[in-house]
Amino acid sequence: MTSIDPRKVISAILKHDAKVTSYKIALLRAINDVVLSYPDVAHYGQDVAIPLRLPAEFWVAYYWPFVDSRDPVMQGPRARRRGRLVNDMAFRPELTKLRTEWGRVVGGSMQPSDGFFVINELRVLRRQASYPQRLLRVYEDTTRSISETLKMPIRYAGPGEWTVFERPTRYDPLDLAVVPIPNTREGEQCLVIRADLWRTFREMSLWIEALCIHEWCLFTENVQQMEGGYVDRGTAYRLLTDRPDSRGPLTWERNQGDLLLLEGRVFPCPWTERRIAASTAYDLDHLLPVAVYPINEMWNLVPTDPHFNSHVKRSRLPSPTRLTRAEPHLALAYALYEESRPLAQAIYEDVAMRFLSIRYSRRECRKIPELI
């Protein structure tokens, strides 16, 4: 690995590795998504420890549309082992149960992208608390099963065994040579990604995402389904690229913002500079749009001009120029959040979960001493 261009390693796994299931493709796509989800980890230039539960969560989202009980999509052969017919995916029973339980809890029509919504809802502690314990137990069982399955493609990626990735190991916070993903817990099983490979994922993320999806579609259309037919690559592409088209309810976040407005605080719209006061209509805008990545963390939510949000920004990322102009207004919005004890705690938890290099001072955290 030290003498091989990481770009060639990634392309070789996707294009040339033998694949009985789509696991290797899903592994690289998950690592790519983890790299994009934690943008400041690269600043340290060190090897990175990823808890196996993180790629496992992304696998929940990727494989979610393939476990539709009415129209399942096989991701490998169903082989007989010791006289028993085993699943194409080791975790299919658990993920199917999770999808069924989610449908029972939320109701309504199911979308292929619901898995992305599920994992982002259940990562945020205050949102997780609004769901029944039964669902959370099923989710934990599913991610645990997937974490075990992940060890197979980690082991066999590339030529031989453990040639690209080392064997997952328990995280020791005293290991200063490795940077942990934010919120990594002591003793968690972690996949360690070499610094040069992490950097390559970061620099080539769009190419890696596109190649993963392309190869996954080609793989899927060659897998015989349960009734003997095949799924065309267009159907596989639609399932793999679907994104949430509606945002979840932000009732708690909006109620907390309304309280600040009623107390006389005034938010500036970061895009139009319109003043948002108690009598002003406003939207809670996702800085990173839901269609790009469904993050309901407080740092990603700001009061904005509803017309601009709905008709101008919509589902697009703000341009670098507009984002630079908005910086002081975003800073003021976050400062106002800190004047509310519940919002201060929420933004502290959400930032700590996402960004490794940002630390709140004791002055900034004075309203949330239980987190110090």
Side-chain angles (χ1 to χ4, degrees), residues 100-120:
T100 300
E101 189 64 27
W102 177 257
R104 183 179 295 118
V105 170
V106 302
S109 60
M110 302 287 280
Q111 302 296 325
S113 58
D114 282 352
F116 282 98
F117 184 74
V118 170
I119 66 173
N120 283 285

Side-chain angles (χ1 to χ4, degrees), residues 47-226:
D47 296 352
V48 181
I50 302 175
L52 289 182
R53 61 179 164 82
L54 284 180
E57 289 171 359
F58 279 112
W59 278 31
V60 168
Y62 304 157
Y63 285 102
W64 185 275
F66 299 144
V67 298
D68 184 342
S69 59
R70 298 164 301 177
D71 191 18
V73 177
M74 297 293 106
Q75 288 293 287
R78 299 189 71 200
R80 285 198 171 274
R81 294 177 190 161
R82 299 176 183 174
R84 294 180 56 199
L85 187 64
V86 296
N87 286 293
D88 58 316
M89 304 180 322
F91 52 89
R92 181 177 284 274
E94 290 85 357
L95 185 54
T96 302
K97 184 177 180 180
L98 175 61
R99 178 169 171 144
T100 300
E101 189 64 27
W102 177 257
R104 183 179 295 118
V105 170
V106 302
S109 60
M110 302 287 280
Q111 302 296 325
S113 58
D114 282 352
F116 282 98
F117 184 74
V118 170
I119 66 173
N120 283 285
E121 281 287 279
L122 300 187
R123 279 175 182 166
V124 180
L125 291 177
R126 65 182 176 281
R127 303 189 71 81
Q128 183 188 107
S130 67
Y131 291 97
Q133 285 298 312
R134 175 181 169 84
L135 173 68
L136 300 182
R137 285 195 298 270
V138 175
Y139 182 72
E140 185 178 351
D141 290 344
T142 304
T143 54
R144 186 185 301 115
S145 177
I146 295 175
S147 294
E148 285 301 311
T149 304
L150 272 162
K151 295 176 182 178
M152 185 185 300
I154 291 171
R155 178 175 184 174
Y156 293 107
E161 301 180 21
W162 313 116
T163 55
V164 174
F165 304 108
E166 295 181 0
R167 190 188 304 269
T169 183
R170 290 169 63 88
Y171 171 65
D172 180 354
L174 299 179
D175 186 356
L176 301 180
V178 177
V179 174
I181 289 295
N183 207 33
T184 299
R185 298 185 284 269
E186 183 176 357
E188 279 194 291
Q189 284 280 306
C190 291
L191 168 64
V192 176
I193 305 295
R194 293 175 57 93
D196 59 344
L197 190 56
W198 184 276
R199 184 171 59 252
T200 300
F201 273 102
R202 191 166 185 262
E203 294 171 351
M204 306 292 292
S205 60
L206 291 177
W207 174 80
I208 294 169
E209 169 79 0
L211 186 56
C212 283
I213 291 174
H214 173 75
E215 292 298 320
W216 203 331
C217 292
L218 296 183
F219 174 86
T220 300
E221 76 169 354
N222 286 298
V223 175
Q224 187 174 25
Q225 300 301 306
M226 293 180 66

Side-chain angles (χ1 to χ4, degrees), residues 317-328:
L317 285 166
S319 68
T321 301
R322 186 175 286 279
L323 193 56
T324 299
R325 288 205 309 266
E327 264 187 43

Side-chain angles (χ1 to χ4, degrees), residues 120 123-124 126-127 253 286 293-301 346 350-351 353-355:
N120 283 285
R123 279 175 182 166
V124 180
R126 65 182 176 281
R127 303 189 71 81
E253 292 83 356
H286 290 74
Y293 207 90
I295 298 175
N296 286 328
E297 296 160 23
M298 278 309 306
W299 60 267
N300 196 42
L301 299 169
D350 293 353
V351 165
M353 181 178 67
R354 180 70 59 176
F355 302 102

